[in-house]
Amino acid sequence: MRITTAGAGIVAVALAALAGCGTRASEGRLSSGELQGRWWTWASTEPAPTNPVADQDGSACERNQPEDVWFLAGTFGTRAERACTVPDGVPLAFPLVNMIGTPADCAAFMSTAEGSAVLDGEKVDADAHQAETIEVRSGVGNPLTGTDGSFTAHGCGLWVQLPALEAGEHTLKIRGRSGGFSVGVDYTLTVGAA
C-alpha cells in the first residue's frame, strides 16, 4: 500500500488476501468506501511494535479486529510468513496492494497495480477499487500514517472479500505489486469450529 498525505512523503505498503475454495455461501460485502476506510483505520490504530502490517509471524493478527469482518494485512514491501487463528463464521477482507492519497496518486498507482491471491491452491478473484473518498482514524506511533487523528483521503487498490471459511486449516498466498513496490505474504489460517 502506498500513503500520500498532505506534506508527507510516500510510504509503500501492501496487503494480503484470501479467497476461493473452502468458503461458505456468500455473505454481505462491504462497500468500497467502507471496506477501505475500515481497513485503513484498523491497520493504522496499532503502534509499530504490534502493527499487523509490520508483523512477521502472525502474532499481531488478532490486534483490534472488528466482530463482523476479519482483516488481513500485507507488508511494507518485504515477504512474511504468518500463522493466524481466525474465528469461525466471520468473513475475510484484505488488499493485495493498496494506497491512500489523491485521485492523481491513485490513478498512477492503479495503472500498474497487479496481484494474486491463492487460497488452498485455488486462485481468488480480486476487485479493483479506484479513488474512493474514505475516512481514516489513526493512532499514535502507527507506521502507516505516522500520526494520530482523523482525516479524509482517497483509497484505491486490489481487494478481496471472502465469506467465512470452513473450520480447519487453510493456506493463503498473497502477492501484490505496483510500480517498483511489491509484497508477498504466505498465511496459514486456522479457522476455529463454533
Side-chain angles (χ1 to χ4, degrees):
M1 109 186 100
R2 192 182 222 173
I3 303 168
T4 304
T5 56
I10 295 176
V11 177
V13 173
L15 295 167
L18 297 156
C21 89
T23 61
R24 296 189 180 146
S26 244
E27 297 170 7
R29 292 169 56 89
L30 300 172
S31 69
S32 176
E34 184 178 12
L35 170 65
Q36 293 186 79
R38 287 183 65 190
W39 185 92
W40 279 98
T41 294
W42 168 75
S44 65
T45 56
E46 230 9 80
T50 54
N51 191 280
V53 180
D55 183 16
Q56 288 299 304
D57 61 7
S59 58
C61 286
E62 296 180 16
R63 304 296 294 187
N64 300 314
Q65 290 285 356
E67 292 182 13
D68 62 335
V69 64
W70 190 268
F71 290 123
L72 295 175
T75 68
F76 291 106
T78 59
R79 295 185 63 98
E81 290 185 23
R82 299 178 181 145
C84 302
T85 300
V86 178
D88 186 47
V90 179
L92 303 166
F94 54 91
L96 302 178
V97 65
N98 65 337
M99 76 162 291
I100 54 175
T102 67
D105 295 329
C106 277
F109 183 81
M110 292 302 290
S111 71
T112 61
E114 59 184 29
S116 66
V118 177
L119 177 66
D120 297 334
E122 299 289 329
K123 188 172 181 181
V124 178
D125 292 330
D127 297 317
H129 294 272
Q130 303 301 324
E132 178 82 33
T133 302
I134 62 172
E135 297 291 325
V136 179
R137 291 177 309 281
S138 57
V140 175
N142 81 80
L144 280 78
T145 66
T147 184
D148 66 327
S150 297
F151 62 93
T152 301
H154 289 85
C156 53
L158 301 177
W159 290 86
V160 175
Q161 293 187 69
L162 299 175
L165 299 176
E166 296 287 339
E169 190 171 284
H170 302 273
T171 60
L172 174 65
K173 295 184 182 299
I174 299 165
R175 304 293 183 263
R177 169 181 317 146
S178 180
F181 176 77
S182 65
V183 65
V185 181
D186 293 342
Y187 276 99
T188 300
L189 302 171
T190 302
V191 179

